[in-house]
Amino acid sequence: MSLQTVPVVRDTLAIDFGACPPGCSECVKACEQHRSVARIATLHLPEVSFHGAITCLQCSEPACRDACPTGAISRDDAGVARLDRGRCVGCGACAIACEWGGISFDFGTIRAAKCDTCDGDPACARACPTDVLRWVESRRLFERFSHPDPFTKGASLCPGCAGELGFRLAFRVIGDDAVVFVGPGCACALANGLGAEATTRLPSAMALMTNIPSLMTGVARRLRQTGKRTRCVAFVGDGATADVGFQPLSGAAERGEPIVYICYDNEGYMNTGVQRSGTTSHGARTMTSPAGPRLKGKGQPAKEVPLMMAFNGAAYVATANIAYPEDFEAKLRRALDVEDGLSYLHLYSPCYVGWESPMDSVLQISRRAVETRMFPMWEADHGKFRITHPVDQARPIEEFTSLIGRFRHLGHDDLKMLAEEAQARYRRIEALCQAMPFNGR
Amino acid sequence: MQFRSRFEGPWAEPDSLYSVRSGDWRQMRPVTQETRCCRCGLCYLYCPAGCITDRVTHFEADMTFCKGCGLCAYVCPAAAIGMRDEEQYR
């Protein structure tokens, strides 16, 4: 028996290379204030539209350490390459050896200066107005996602699938004591097996698009009768949630069935070849909402299914995003704790195939959707609303739509309309938070 | 039809599950530079195929299953993972 064990990891400063807002140098100012000499630099090259932050990447075998003639640089147990200023002679060999420009120089004392991550609380990451610099607490992240992955490694889903990623992340939190339900769609390739063979160690069931919550109701009630605390968890696409299967979901929420329903929202019927669904964005091009000389993609704004669920008797409703795993984990744990009604999680999962985006772009799209207020992150716990990731200053909508091919036909006015809709959506959630505020559990 | 699954319950080994050799789909191969990996484990967590393995000094994708999507290279904060053309390795 060789279940995967949780690896030993280190916390790290994550940099989204080349994604800084033009002209921003908040991290440099913060570092200067904190450590007198800045150990981070920003590079602004408007002619090639590159704006990025540069600092030490804490390599496992640092070239600066090997190049130092006095042995002033060493790597500690936390994985931070530290500089002993007492032994540094200011020769600059480390700065030449580092091909990332990660070494700074203190011209006052003629010594090298390098990032020591402020011992796990970097001032630069705190000062960063965007999500370009983030302190990633990997150790805590791995404690949160500690269960072994219950799914097969080789599953018939597209490379770089956000839904597959969300599915695995969800069950690293939920663990083995669950029954998983899927509908006809992409997720069944991971949960339902192929032919007579299983692709997951979990008990799983595939219902029809129109009866997933109904089947879950039956199984959950039977499990409760037998005294088991095994949770019924659905991982279902937006088509079966927002359109085809909304009626039984609405019914289950109204009856207060204690089931956990996760909708992975890829904004379309992606498994059948990119057809428009209720949650498809306004203006998006799909096979059934084409764009051409007369038509401009989908003519209607997206259905707000999480809001519909919040006013439909669901005990716990939250929106989540694969680019914010800590937030997703916290909401999932709350959803599992709630037993007096239905828990509904709306997981943003861009489908790069249907959205005509590059293969490795799903995380970038997910993060931009939050930063541009296209996808507000909030939760409603028994009717009390809270925004879990406030976005004070929305980034321009072009930063989101430029990543996505199915918005390519939209002109300036269309994008403006899309941005205004996004702002209105965010303000609506803000108004709900004010009217029905969340004051702790 | 006989039920052929080697799957028996939550205690079954993950290796005994049905899998496709999805590594055959790969066009770009993620290559980890061992000296640069800072062992943050983000690639391990973010791999949609769940195929990153722990090699103690560094993390590396399992080439039997890696589909070459490039998300590991995108999330790597140390720029330790580079995507190379798969042709070089055939």
Side-chain angles (χ1 to χ4, degrees), chain A residues 240-319:
Chain A
T241 303
D243 310 338
V244 192
F246 188 72
Q247 182 272 326
L249 176 62
S250 170
E254 193 191 345
R255 293 194 305 272
E257 302 294 345
I259 56 176
V260 179
Y261 192 99
I262 307 172
C263 164
Y264 66 101
D265 183 11
N266 49 26
E267 300 193 357
Y269 293 84
M270 297 314 184
N271 205 261
T272 46
V274 197
Q275 286 87 17
R276 145 210 201 287
S277 82
T279 62
T280 304
S281 288
H282 197 176
R285 177 176 65 200
T286 67
M287 295 305 144
T288 51
S289 62
R294 284 185 301 112
L295 297 167
K296 283 186 173 176
K298 189 186 174 190
Q300 302 82 19
K303 262 189 200 179
E304 291 185 54
V305 185
L307 269 186
M308 289 157 77
M309 292 305 293
F311 292 104
N312 197 168
Y316 180 72
V317 176
T319 61

Side-chain angles (χ1 to χ4, degrees), chain A residues 137-182:
Chain A
E137 292 179 320
S138 281
R139 277 179 296 183
R140 261 179 62 196
L141 206 56
F142 272 72
E143 277 167 26
R144 289 161 170 226
F145 293 89
S146 56
H147 284 283
D149 188 347
F151 301 107
T152 178
K153 285 178 182 173
S156 297
L157 286 123
C158 305
C161 173
E164 184 178 3
L165 173 55
F167 209 167
R168 286 180 197 276
L169 287 179
F171 280 87
R172 283 213 166 126
V173 176
I174 297 165
D176 273 342
D177 195 17
V179 185
V180 57
F181 293 80
V182 290

Side-chain angles (χ1 to χ4, degrees), chain A residues 153, chain B residues 23 26 51-53 55 60-67:
Chain A
K153 285 178 182 173
Chain B
R26 191 172 55 247
C51 77
I52 304 277
T53 41
R55 294 258 184 263
E60 203 172 55
D62 182 340
M63 290 304 155
T64 318
F65 301 114
C66 169
K67 302 170 188 170

Side-chain angles (χ1 to χ4, degrees), chain A residues 78-237:
Chain A
V80 178
R82 289 185 190 278
L83 173 82
D84 181 355
R85 280 176 57 86
R87 288 163 83 175
C88 176
V89 292
C91 66
C94 52
I96 295 166
C98 178
E99 56 184 286
W100 294 94
I103 306 277
S104 309
F105 209 78
D106 179 357
F107 289 100
T109 56
I110 320 185
R111 294 283 186 277
K114 76 172 290 303
C115 172
D116 60 2
T117 70
C118 299
D119 292 321
D121 186 21
C124 53
R126 263 182 287 136
C128 183
T130 64
D131 283 338
V132 172
L133 287 175
R134 286 171 303 125
W135 178 248
V136 179
E137 292 179 320
S138 281
R139 277 179 296 183
R140 261 179 62 196
L141 206 56
F142 272 72
E143 277 167 26
R144 289 161 170 226
F145 293 89
S146 56
H147 284 283
D149 188 347
F151 301 107
T152 178
K153 285 178 182 173
S156 297
L157 286 123
C158 305
C161 173
E164 184 178 3
L165 173 55
F167 209 167
R168 286 180 197 276
L169 287 179
F171 280 87
R172 283 213 166 126
V173 176
I174 297 165
D176 273 342
D177 195 17
V179 185
V180 57
F181 293 80
V182 290
C186 298
C188 69
L190 203 55
N192 207 43
L194 209 74
E197 292 194 73
T199 47
T200 173
R201 295 184 291 112
L202 298 166
S204 72
M206 187 174 100
L208 302 174
M209 281 180 123
T210 48
N211 68 351
I212 300 155
S214 315
L215 181 65
M216 291 174 79
T217 300
V219 175
R221 287 188 179 184
R222 178 67 192 143
L223 283 169
R224 229 174 338 162
Q225 277 177 2
T226 55
K228 285 185 178 154
R229 288 182 60 88
T230 307
R231 296 310 302 269
C232 290
V233 182
F235 198 82
V236 181

Side-chain angles (χ1 to χ4, degrees), chain B residues 2 6 8 10 14 19 21 27-28 36 40 47-49 62 71 78 86:
Chain B
Q2 199 191 350
R6 285 155 290 180
E8 289 177 19
S19 58
R21 290 181 64 90
Q27 305 204 44
M28 302 291 274
R36 191 153 285 150
C40 66
C47 174
D62 182 340
L71 272 185
E86 185 65 23

Side-chain angles (χ1 to χ4, degrees), chain B residues 17-90:
Chain B
L17 296 170
Y18 172 81
S19 58
V20 284
R21 290 181 64 90
S22 49
D24 296 350
W25 313 348
R26 191 172 55 247
Q27 305 204 44
M28 302 291 274
R29 170 183 289 227
V31 179
T32 311
Q33 253 179 287
E34 293 172 35
T35 56
R36 191 153 285 150
C37 173
C38 63
R39 282 197 61 84
C40 66
L42 285 187
C43 54
Y44 182 95
L45 205 61
Y46 272 116
C47 174
C51 77
I52 304 277
T53 41
D54 185 0
R55 294 258 184 263
V56 186
T57 53
H58 64 290
F59 288 93
E60 203 172 55
D62 182 340
M63 290 304 155
T64 318
F65 301 114
C66 169
K67 302 170 188 170
C69 68
L71 272 185
C72 53
Y74 173 74
V75 296
C76 181
I81 304 174
M83 299 304 289
R84 309 253 176 86
D85 195 342
E86 185 65 23
E87 277 305 306
Q88 300 171 25
Y89 299 92
R90 287 199 197 275

